[in-house]
Amino acid sequence: MPDPTAVSSSLDELSEGMTAYEEELADEIGELAKQRDWQGIQERTEYAKNIRSFAHKIMALKEEWDRLNGLDDTSGTNNADEADVDNLPVTARTRWERIGDKIRVQTEGGRSAYSNVIPIWLFKELALAALHQIKSSGYVKTSDVLNVKLDTIVEKSDYKRAPRLPVYVTFKVLVKEGVFENPDSNSHRYTLVGGNENLLRRFLGELG
C-alpha cells in the first residue's frame, strides 16, 4: 500500500521552501527601501501578498491530505490554541535532534509540523560559510550562503529542487541554540551572539 506520509512530507518541504522564499523576498524589499525605489517596493509588496496567499493554499492542501489519510492528530486543538502557536517566534516552535549522521529539524505550527532532515556535513558547511560571511561583512543573510553553496547543495544533497531549505533550516537551528541572533528585527541579517566565533565552532564540534 502506498505510504501517504511521503506525500505529506513533500508538502511540508514545499511549505518550508515557500517560507524561505518569502524571507528572501523580504530581503529584496528591504534593499529597495534603502534605494528609495518606491515603485519597486509597491510592485514587490503586491507580489509578496500573492506569494503569502499561495503559501496558505499549500498549507490548506497539506491539512486536507492529512485529514484524508488519518494523519491529522490535531483534532483536539481549538482555533485559539492554533493562533497562539502560530504567533510564537519561529525559533520558539523549532525542535531538532541528531539522528546518526543527520539532523532532524521540526517546526510546530497551529495545525501541522514541518520536518526536514539535513546531513551533518552539509549543516557544517552551511554554518561555516555563514561564519565566513560574518567575518567579512559583519553579518550574514540566508541568500549570502545560498549564493556560495548552491552548487554543493544541488550536486551533493537531496535538496536539488529546494536548495534554499537547508540554508534556512540551518539558520533556525543556530538561532535556536543561541549561536546566531537577528539583532535588527526589521531585517534578515544575522550575527554571532556576542561575536563569539568559538561558540559556533564548539557547537559544530559537538555534532561530530
Side-chain angles (χ1 to χ4, degrees):
M1 179 177 179
D3 182 4
T5 60
V7 175
S8 184
S9 295
S10 295
L11 290 170
D12 277 338
E13 185 171 316
L14 179 58
S15 186
E16 280 279 18
M18 289 300 301
T19 300
Y21 185 77
E22 286 186 88
E23 182 171 330
E24 291 193 17
L25 185 57
D27 285 339
E28 181 183 347
I29 293 173
E31 291 300 321
L32 290 173
K34 291 179 183 178
Q35 300 167 17
R36 299 185 179 182
D37 183 351
W38 312 126
Q39 180 64 30
I41 291 173
Q42 183 177 357
E43 292 174 357
R44 298 309 279 171
T45 298
E46 284 301 314
Y47 175 66
K49 290 178 181 178
N50 291 331
I51 292 300
R52 182 92 291 264
S53 176
F54 186 76
H56 282 308
K57 291 177 182 178
I58 294 172
M59 283 295 300
L61 188 63
K62 175 186 163 25
E63 290 167 8
E64 181 179 357
W65 176 264
D66 286 352
R67 284 195 300 272
L68 285 172
N69 291 280
L71 301 175
D72 184 7
D73 58 358
T74 61
S75 56
T77 303
N78 62 40
N79 291 336
D81 290 338
E82 291 168 357
D84 288 343
V85 172
D86 285 334
N87 287 331
L88 288 172
V90 67
T91 51
R93 295 185 278 116
T94 298
R95 294 185 294 108
W96 70 275
E97 61 181 334
R98 176 175 174 172
I99 304 176
D101 60 352
K102 297 179 177 63
I103 291 175
R104 179 177 181 269
V105 183
Q106 181 166 302
T107 302
E108 300 290 345
R111 296 183 180 179
S112 60
Y114 316 110
S115 295
N116 293 101
V117 177
I118 303 176
I120 289 177
W121 70 263
L122 180 57
F123 182 94
K124 287 184 174 182
E125 279 205 25
L126 298 177
L128 291 174
L131 173 61
H132 178 77
Q133 180 66 27
I134 290 174
K135 293 171 72 173
S136 174
S137 303
Y139 65 88
V140 64
K141 297 187 292 185
T142 55
S143 56
D144 296 328
V145 176
L146 178 63
N147 288 339
V148 298
K149 287 297 178 179
L150 179 60
D151 289 344
T152 298
I153 295 170
V154 171
E155 294 172 7
K156 299 181 179 180
S157 80
D158 295 329
Y159 287 95
K160 295 174 176 56
R161 296 184 179 180
R164 291 183 180 87
L165 269 177
V167 180
Y168 178 70
V169 173
T170 296
F171 275 53
K172 283 203 299 186
V173 171
L174 292 175
V175 172
K176 176 73 174 181
E177 293 304 308
V179 178
F180 278 7
E181 64 180 344
N182 174 218
D184 183 357
S185 59
N186 294 321
S187 76
H188 294 286
R189 297 182 176 186
Y190 294 84
T191 61
L192 289 165
V193 172
N196 193 343
E197 177 181 338
N198 290 332
L199 185 61
L200 172 60
R201 293 193 180 279
R202 183 166 61 250
F203 178 71
L204 296 180
E206 291 172 352
L207 290 177

